[in-house]
């Protein structure tokens, strides 16, 4: 098969491409990525050496670009990772989130209709459900949890999900959706919590924690997520949503302290900064559906995954140091410098 992966130069998309090349070498992988600030061609350096991989620079919100690529490659499966995804950035500029996450999804859906793809898969997020109270650890997001978005980012992802489902009903397009908890692992862009803390701790720089650090996230190792997407796009029921969670809940402060401890640094580096507007309190996913129907379960505990992640950043300093030397420094100072 030919599988079109959009946003494949990003964190989860890049890991997914490597998962496909390793586990399905008989398939051809085509990556479409705009290479915005979070898209890094260095992430795909090894993939570019493979004969069954092609990279195309382009924007999913560019109809002409998308149509040309579909005409050339005639993909059997489309997996859409391409998205603006950092909540802090959506507070600064909501418009780019709507353009990429909603309009871009619609353009991909229309192209998928015209070219009769066998499966269109949308990679979504648990943030479309809003948040859960900290004092109710018995509550979890299920596929039936009502959408209740908290930010322009999550609203744009919810809008994209609804578009995908509408194309299934109106046009009979074979679609599926996965909604995942927070991912971590190799190639994670350094603005996100875990890689930011690793990079700062290695440089003995302050570790900025929002508020009191009590916000809870369910952490999912990225390779486990890739395995789940692979199962859903190949064997999942058409028109269905599958929640993908790691059963690894931690407060943000617990995550930061774990990283500090693993690196042998002092907790004195931890600093508390003004909380993010509309900051969700707790995310927690119930993955019963994907487990029951497809046999998926996360294989990686948080303690194991965080050690593997830290080791990757130690072994690949050049990758993230290139990023930190560029535009990101300006952004970092704007977001955290005066808090």
């Amino acid at each position: 098969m030919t599988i079109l992966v959009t946003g494949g130069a990003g964190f989860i998309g890049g890991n997914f491409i490597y998962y496909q090349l390793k586990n399905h070498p008989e398939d051809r992988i085509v990556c479409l990525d705009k290479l915005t600030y979070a898209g890094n061609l260095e992430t795909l350096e090894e993939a570019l050496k493979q004969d069954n991989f092609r990279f195309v620079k382009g924007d999913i919100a560019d109809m002409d670009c998308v149509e040309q690529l579909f005409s050339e490659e005639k993909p059997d499966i489309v997996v859409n990772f391409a998205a603006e995804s950092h909540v802090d950035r959506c507070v600064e500029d909501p418009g780019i989130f709507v353009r990429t996450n909603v309009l871009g999804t619609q353009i991909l859906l229309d192209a998928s209709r015209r070219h009769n793809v066998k499966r269109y898969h949308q990679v979504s997020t648990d943030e479309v459900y809003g948040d859960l109270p900290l004092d109710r650890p018995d509550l979890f997001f299920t596929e039936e949890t009502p959408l209740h978005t908290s930010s322009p980012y999550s609203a744009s992802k919810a809008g994209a999900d609804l578009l995908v489902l509408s194309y299934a009903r109106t046009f009979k397009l074979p679609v599926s959706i996965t909604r995942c908890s927070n991912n971590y692992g190799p190639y994670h862009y350094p603005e996100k919590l875990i890689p930011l803390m690793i990079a700062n701790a290695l440089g003995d720089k302050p570790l900025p924690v929002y508020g009191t650090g009590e916000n809870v996230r369910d952490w999912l190792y990225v390779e486990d997520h890739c395995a789940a997407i692979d199962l859903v796009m190949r064997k999942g029921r058409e028109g269905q949503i599958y929640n993908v969670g790691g059963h690894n809940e931690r407060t943000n402060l617990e995550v930061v302290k774990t990283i500090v401890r693993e690196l042998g640094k002092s907790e004195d580096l931890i600093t508390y900064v003004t909380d993010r507007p509309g900051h969700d309190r707790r995310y927690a996913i119930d993955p019963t559906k994907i487990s029951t129907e497809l046999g998926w379960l996360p294989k990686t505990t948080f303690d194991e995954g965080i050690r593997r992640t830290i080791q990757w950043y130690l072994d690949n300093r050049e990758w993230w140091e290139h990023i930190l030397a560029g535009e990101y420094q300006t952004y970092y100072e704007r977001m955290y410098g005066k808090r």
Side-chain angles (χ1 to χ4, degrees):
M1 294 192 299
T2 297
I3 302 171
L4 173 60
V5 179
T6 68
F11 164 44
I12 307 176
N15 277 280
F16 181 76
I17 285 172
Y18 285 118
Y19 184 92
Q20 293 300 310
L21 291 172
K22 177 183 177 181
N23 292 282
H24 302 283
E26 72 280 3
D27 291 336
R28 173 174 167 79
I29 308 298
V30 179
C31 172
L32 175 66
D33 198 294
K34 189 180 178 181
L35 295 182
T36 58
Y37 76 95
N40 188 346
L41 203 53
E42 289 185 52
T43 296
L44 299 175
E45 184 176 353
E46 293 303 313
L48 289 164
K49 300 175 183 177
Q50 305 299 314
D51 293 336
N52 60 335
F53 176 77
R54 177 192 177 193
F55 176 81
V56 177
K57 183 179 179 181
D59 184 355
I60 63 169
D62 181 338
M63 187 181 303
D64 293 337
C65 169
V66 169
E67 176 60 29
Q68 180 179 343
L69 184 57
F70 272 71
S71 297
E72 291 173 358
E73 293 291 348
K74 299 177 174 54
D76 299 288
I77 296 177
V78 176
V79 186
N80 181 26
F81 290 93
E84 295 286 344
S85 64
H86 192 40
V87 178
D88 283 346
R89 289 180 182 262
C90 84
V91 175
E92 288 199 313
D93 187 359
I96 61 172
F97 285 74
V98 175
R99 181 181 183 276
T100 298
N101 299 357
V102 181
L103 177 61
T105 296
Q106 177 252 314
I107 287 173
L108 288 173
L109 289 165
D110 280 339
S112 297
R113 283 180 57 213
R114 288 192 298 269
H115 294 271
N116 299 310
V117 302
K118 297 175 182 176
R119 176 61 64 94
Y120 174 94
H121 183 78
Q122 180 78 1
V123 181
S124 188
T125 170
D126 60 359
E127 293 192 41
V128 299
Y129 298 124
D131 63 353
L132 296 166
L134 293 175
D135 61 354
R136 289 293 306 276
D138 56 312
L139 295 180
F140 296 88
F141 295 136
T142 72
E143 289 81 2
E144 285 72 44
T145 300
L147 303 184
H148 187 68
T149 61
S150 304
S151 69
Y153 160 61
S154 57
S156 68
K157 291 295 287 186
D161 287 1
L162 293 174
L163 267 178
V164 171
L165 295 174
S166 76
Y167 273 62
R169 179 161 182 169
T170 302
F171 304 111
K172 310 304 179 187
L173 185 68
V175 307
S176 51
I177 298 173
T178 47
R179 291 173 176 160
C180 67
S181 55
N182 283 42
N183 279 219
Y184 67 104
Y187 301 111
H188 204 174
Y189 193 77
E191 71 184 356
K192 299 299 180 78
L193 178 67
I194 287 177
L196 173 63
M197 296 301 146
I198 294 172
N200 278 19
L202 287 173
D204 293 313
K205 297 177 180 178
L207 307 179
V209 174
Y210 281 134
T212 59
E214 294 177 354
N215 304 72
V216 174
R217 299 294 181 261
D218 174 16
W219 291 97
L220 175 65
Y221 191 64
V222 67
E223 188 174 358
D224 289 338
H225 185 199
C226 293
I229 295 170
D230 183 60
L231 270 175
V232 171
M233 77 179 196
R234 295 174 187 271
K235 299 180 180 180
R237 288 185 290 142
E238 291 182 10
Q240 293 295 305
I241 299 167
Y242 294 87
N243 282 351
V244 186
H247 278 314
N248 284 306
E249 288 188 56
R250 298 287 191 284
T251 68
N252 288 346
L253 187 57
E254 286 175 328
V255 170
V256 175
K257 287 185 175 181
T258 299
I259 292 169
V260 167
R261 183 171 63 251
E262 290 290 332
L263 290 173
K265 299 294 184 175
S266 170
E267 290 187 6
D268 292 341
L269 292 173
I270 299 173
T271 61
Y272 297 92
V273 300
T274 305
D275 207 354
R276 168 197 295 159
H279 198 176
D280 287 336
R281 292 162 294 181
R282 173 175 172 255
Y283 303 146
I285 274 184
D286 179 356
T288 298
K289 181 177 178 178
I290 189 173
S291 175
T292 301
E293 290 191 14
L294 301 176
W296 178 89
L297 287 170
K299 296 180 179 180
T300 312
T301 66
F302 183 78
D303 289 339
E304 175 189 355
I306 198 67
R307 283 193 293 269
R308 288 164 63 179
T309 300
I310 290 171
Q311 191 60 52
W312 188 89
Y313 280 87
L314 288 171
D315 294 340
N316 295 272
R317 293 184 71 117
E318 187 175 343
W319 180 86
W320 54 268
E321 285 176 347
H322 281 178
I323 296 172
L324 294 181
E327 177 267 348
Y328 175 68
Q329 279 298 328
T330 302
Y331 165 78
Y332 180 86
E333 288 301 321
R334 190 166 71 249
M335 293 309 301
Y336 297 110
K338 296 181 180 180
R339 293 188 178 192

